[in-house]
Amino acid sequence: KNSSLGFSFTHTDFESQDIQYNYLEGDQQKYQIDYTNKLSLGKLRLRYEHEENDRSYNTANFAPETRDGISVQLKRDLAPKWDMTGEFGYRESDYDSSAVGSRTDERLKTSLDVGRAMNKNWRLGAMATYTDNDSNVNASAYHGYDAQIYTSWSF
């Protein structure tokens, strides 16, 4: 089997008992479609995500009304026990009822992960991520770098 197609749907309904978490109150629906294909270059994954939020306390821009994203990921073996995963994604978020009026964010995110299987259970790796969020509201625009070294154990 070289290809797979996956669909997922998540519905969240959150009610807060503490004013501290009022911004989370409301409903959220997430839809995701993944297409994966094994190529000579490595394992390719294409993803589309759609999110809808109906938050009762959305005046402070905590959750967008809608969010759409696409991403492309390629995982490739480099040498025995070594692999590399690169990913590039674009996401657009619309905050139509924000306190400052209509707000649209466009986020580009790219990452590179290099890892080594130490044995059948342990993995060691390093990952670098760059994020650039452009917004029509200056206070919501940002860019950032993230670097991490990690280990994981599967059991």
Side-chain angles (χ1 to χ4, degrees), residues 81 116-125 150-155:
K81 298 186 180 186
R116 183 180 192 282
M118 305 306 286
N119 60 38
K120 74 175 195 169
N121 299 90
W122 285 99
R123 179 177 170 78
L124 181 66
Y150 65 88
T151 187
S152 63
W153 177 46
S154 300
F155 55 93

Side-chain angles (χ1 to χ4, degrees), residues 8-152:
S8 69
F9 170 75
T10 305
H11 174 80
T12 305
D13 184 7
F14 187 84
E15 293 183 28
S16 174
Q17 302 299 315
D18 187 330
I19 194 169
Q20 177 181 0
Y21 299 105
N22 277 356
Y23 69 96
L24 294 172
E25 282 194 0
D27 295 318
Q28 179 187 70
Q29 293 82 34
K30 288 185 179 182
Y31 307 86
Q32 182 175 298
I33 300 170
D34 283 335
Y35 171 73
T36 305
N37 193 353
K38 292 180 185 174
L39 305 171
S40 59
L41 285 174
K43 185 177 179 182
L44 176 70
R45 187 200 72 207
L46 306 174
R47 174 174 286 167
Y48 170 74
E49 296 174 297
H50 176 76
E51 177 181 321
E52 296 177 6
N53 289 288
D54 183 13
R55 305 289 190 183
S56 58
Y57 191 78
N58 200 28
T59 59
N61 292 329
F62 289 114
E65 277 76 23
T66 60
R67 176 175 278 162
D68 290 284
I70 56 172
S71 63
V72 176
Q73 180 188 78
L74 182 65
K75 182 173 184 177
R76 179 179 173 83
D77 290 334
L78 298 175
K81 298 186 180 186
W82 286 90
D83 63 61
M84 175 178 69
T85 303
E87 185 166 359
F88 178 79
Y90 170 80
R91 184 177 78 185
E92 183 174 297
S93 304
D94 291 315
Y95 301 77
D96 293 330
S97 63
S98 71
V100 294
S102 181
R103 171 181 149 204
T104 300
D105 290 4
E106 293 182 341
R107 186 188 80 177
L108 296 174
K109 187 173 185 177
T110 186
S111 65
L112 182 64
D113 182 338
V114 177
R116 183 180 192 282
M118 305 306 286
N119 60 38
K120 74 175 195 169
N121 299 90
W122 285 99
R123 179 177 170 78
L124 181 66
M127 185 165 71
T129 303
Y130 173 74
T131 304
D132 183 27
N133 192 73
D134 188 23
S135 179
N136 65 326
V137 175
N138 287 338
S140 298
Y142 64 88
H143 68 271
Y145 300 93
D146 179 60
Q148 59 181 284
I149 297 173
Y150 65 88
T151 187
S152 63

